[in-house]
Amino acid sequence: VCFFPIGIHADIQLPSILSDNMVLQQNAKVRFWGKARPGEKILVKTSWDHKKYKVTALANGHWELMIQTPAATSGQSVMLKGDNKIRINNILIGEVWLCTGQSNMEFPVARNPQVKWKTGMLNEAEEMKDADFPEIRLFHVEHQLAPDGEKEDCVGKWVVCNPENLKDFSAVGFVFGRKLYKDLSTPVGLIQSTWGGTHAESWTSMKVMENNPLYADVLKQYSKEKVSREKDKCKVPATLWNGMIAPIVGYTVKGNIWYQGESNAHNKEIHEILFPLLVDSWRKSWNKEFPFYYVQLSGLNRPSWPHFRDSQRRLEKIIPGSGMAVSSDLGDSLDVHPKRKQEVGERLARLALNKTYGKDIVPSGPQYKESEFKNGYALISFDYANGLRASDDKDLRSFEIAEFDGLYFPAKAIVEGDKIKVWNDKVKHPRFVRYGWAPYTNGNLVNRELLPASTFTSSDN
């Protein structure tokens, strides 16, 4: 299977993502596309139903068609015949997910001694003992900048999930896919497209940004003519969309998991507008309202992070079909790349299993709903509040209470049924309450499943 050519050739050419070992989304119309001689008649035959599909290449050589897939199965193949023949072998049909974002999604399963921040996930050796899954397949989009426009193809190949192929694959993506595979008993395909240190604008189509005044400053600041330092080139707006997302747009997927925000955390107000636009633009490009599950920033000693984490919490209610995995309890006060990726991947999988696949599983920790202010205390209500408790069986901590927004006092907190009572004797007429409001929080509120509550403040709700 070849990459797209420059220009038009007589032979059928396929993008790299349509290749041996791939996973096709089950029970769906999946897209096949490529290049060929203008006017070339192409016959496509699928092994699972022995149907024949015919398509004719357009004047520019492009062709595409939609093919119906059955329920999950393995050992399939596709034959394409035009002026040449191509056979795609060892195909699985199951569940396909994108794994996207910046460095914490890129963070690999195994330690890479040549890259300082790639320290490997916690308990790497133990994780590798549960890493041999012939029915999980991995596609890793290699880094590719494209400041001048959208690329037709990327570099990458489908490989079988095993300890060797997993070494440089996303730890969060792997754990997510492994849990789906075990809980759904179906093949899983994971497509990783990530680049560390990048902002959301790099992953957004220029068509979305070029006529929107919200993007004016970043378009001016990071125009390709003004970017000279190598490390800044991946922050050029749309360059990663062009190089690492556009080539795989249309490959039929079930949904996307996203871990990004570190590079936008300095301006939550702008991110609150940009992130929903990014999600909407990706869905429109795929022509599918797929689920978009994302990870809240963890704990780190950066002043803006509690504000940004709370902003991410509120975005979950704004963006339809979204869900947020809390990770503030998994952070490292001095390292933006915490090694505890198992919990992150499993929490994302919980969201998918409940919200996408309808499994009877609690999708998240306690989610702030509302506060009722009484004479001298606040009573806080949550969703997913069964079994509220402290994760370490100590007193609840990291709650604060105030009469005036911004003038907070540390508060005592106790569980009262499915609510939390919060007070401080110095605050006689409370009007505001917040939780986990520190860059590196030590909050310990969880539910029965030991899933953590998010940072929140009542003043913005």
Side-chain angles (χ1 to χ4, degrees):
V1 176
C2 303
F3 300 130
F4 276 171
I6 303 299
I8 298 173
H9 289 245
D11 289 346
I12 301 171
Q13 304 288 323
L14 298 178
S16 59
I17 200 165
L18 295 176
S19 58
D20 291 351
N21 303 314
M22 69 181 178
V23 183
L24 297 176
Q25 178 60 41
Q26 67 172 324
N27 297 319
K29 288 188 178 296
V30 300
R31 178 173 173 256
F32 276 70
W33 74 99
K35 289 281 191 176
R37 173 176 50 81
E40 184 175 350
K41 295 185 183 302
I42 301 162
L43 177 68
V44 180
K45 184 177 179 180
T46 56
S47 66
W48 52 86
D49 58 10
H50 305 291
K51 285 187 177 181
K52 296 179 180 179
Y53 301 81
K54 297 179 180 180
V55 65
T56 301
L58 301 176
N60 64 357
H62 179 79
W63 62 268
E64 65 177 77
L65 51 79
M66 304 299 290
I67 295 177
Q68 180 66 44
T69 59
T73 186
S74 60
Q76 303 299 319
S77 64
V78 173
M79 176 71 76
L80 301 96
K81 182 180 179 182
D83 291 347
N84 63 318
K85 292 182 180 180
I86 296 176
R87 182 183 175 91
I88 308 175
N89 296 305
N90 198 25
I91 297 172
L92 298 177
I93 297 177
E95 296 298 298
V96 183
W97 285 79
L98 298 167
C99 309
T100 56
Q102 59 178 107
S103 56
N104 273 305
M105 184 64 80
E106 187 171 11
F107 189 96
V109 171
R111 177 176 176 268
N112 184 341
Q114 296 179 332
V115 182
K116 184 178 179 180
W117 63 271
K118 293 184 177 182
T119 55
M121 65 191 299
L122 193 66
N123 299 324
E124 173 192 334
E126 289 298 313
E127 293 295 328
M128 282 300 193
K129 292 178 182 178
D130 190 24
D132 202 349
F133 295 97
E135 290 200 335
I136 297 178
R137 305 288 171 79
L138 316 171
F139 187 93
H140 192 167
V141 178
E142 291 191 16
H143 285 179
Q144 178 174 234
L145 298 174
D148 297 315
E150 294 181 355
K151 296 290 187 181
E152 289 186 314
D153 200 13
C154 60
V155 177
K157 65 178 181 179
W158 285 100
V159 296
V160 175
C161 179
N162 58 43
E164 183 60 32
N165 289 333
L166 260 180
K167 285 182 178 178
D168 197 44
F169 197 79
S170 165
V172 169
F174 163 60
V175 174
F176 171 84
R178 181 177 63 186
K179 185 164 180 60
L180 289 192
Y181 173 75
K182 290 182 176 182
D183 284 32
L184 298 175
S185 299
T186 189
V188 172
L190 302 169
I191 303 169
Q192 176 183 342
S193 185
T194 56
W195 196 317
T198 54
H199 52 41
E201 297 90 326
S202 304
W203 297 99
T204 305
S205 168
M206 186 58 72
K207 295 175 185 177
V208 175
M209 296 187 289
E210 57 189 356
N211 296 316
N212 191 327
L214 292 170
Y215 295 94
D217 288 344
V218 74
L219 291 175
K220 181 179 179 181
Q221 180 180 2
Y222 288 107
S223 63
K224 60 180 183 291
E225 293 83 3
K226 293 188 176 183
V227 175
S228 57
R229 295 185 302 172
E230 187 67 29
K231 70 177 184 177
D232 286 338
K233 289 183 179 179
C234 61
K235 295 182 182 183
V236 173
T239 189
L240 299 181
W241 166 269
N242 292 340
M244 299 178 65
I245 300 298
I248 60 174
V249 162
Y251 189 87
T252 307
V253 300
K254 189 69 171 184
N256 181 42
I257 56 172
W258 172 267
Y259 196 161
Q260 191 275 340
E262 296 91 334
S263 294
N264 288 91
H266 61 284
N267 196 330
K268 72 176 181 67
E269 290 81 7
I270 294 296
H271 181 264
E272 286 176 358
I273 301 171
L274 302 188
F275 187 53
L277 288 174
L278 180 148
V279 175
D280 183 63
S281 68
W282 282 37
R283 288 170 169 169
K284 286 179 178 176
S285 295
W286 259 271
N287 195 28
K288 179 180 174 64
E289 289 293 311
F290 55 64
F292 206 107
Y293 302 131
Y294 60 94
V295 182
Q296 188 185 45
L297 294 191
S298 64
L300 184 72
N301 283 333
R302 290 186 180 174
S304 64
W305 279 38
H307 302 272
F308 193 82
R309 287 197 302 263
D310 191 54
S311 171
Q312 288 179 299
R313 177 188 65 82
R314 287 181 280 108
L315 283 171
E316 184 177 8
K317 299 179 181 179
I318 295 171
I319 302 172
S322 70
M324 184 190 75
V326 174
S327 70
S328 54
D329 60 324
L330 307 174
D332 184 317
S333 63
L334 301 175
D335 191 349
V336 74
H337 304 114
K339 298 176 69 173
R340 294 177 64 184
K341 302 302 186 196
Q342 296 92 331
E343 296 96 329
V344 178
E346 289 176 356
R347 290 171 189 177
L348 285 167
R350 275 183 168 270
L351 290 168
L353 289 168
N354 176 262
K355 294 175 178 287
T356 302
Y357 298 107
K359 295 293 184 180
D360 186 15
I361 182 175
V362 176
S364 77
Q367 290 187 353
Y368 174 78
K369 186 162 55 176
E370 61 184 1
S371 295
E372 184 180 2
F373 295 98
K374 304 284 188 177
N375 186 20
Y377 66 92
L379 204 57
I380 309 172
S381 299
F382 299 86
D383 292 318
Y384 311 119
N386 287 338
L388 292 178
R389 51 167 289 191
S391 59
D392 52 8
D393 295 323
K394 298 181 180 179
D395 291 340
L396 291 174
R397 56 180 179 265
S398 200
F399 284 91
E400 298 173 274
I401 197 165
E403 289 191 31
F404 305 98
D405 193 14
L407 188 60
Y408 283 88
F409 293 84
K412 295 181 180 180
I414 59 172
V415 176
E416 289 197 349
D418 60 353
K419 298 182 180 181
I420 300 293
K421 180 180 179 181
V422 179
W423 77 96
N424 181 302
D425 292 339
K426 295 180 180 178
V427 180
K428 303 299 183 183
H429 305 287
R431 294 293 180 269
F432 302 98
V433 65
R434 66 188 186 186
Y435 168 77
W437 209 258
Y440 182 73
T441 174
N442 67 344
N444 60 347
L445 176 63
V446 296
N447 58 16
R448 181 173 292 131
E449 286 74 20
L450 299 182
L451 298 170
S454 165
T455 297
F456 70 82
T457 174
S458 66
S459 64
D460 288 332
N461 290 272

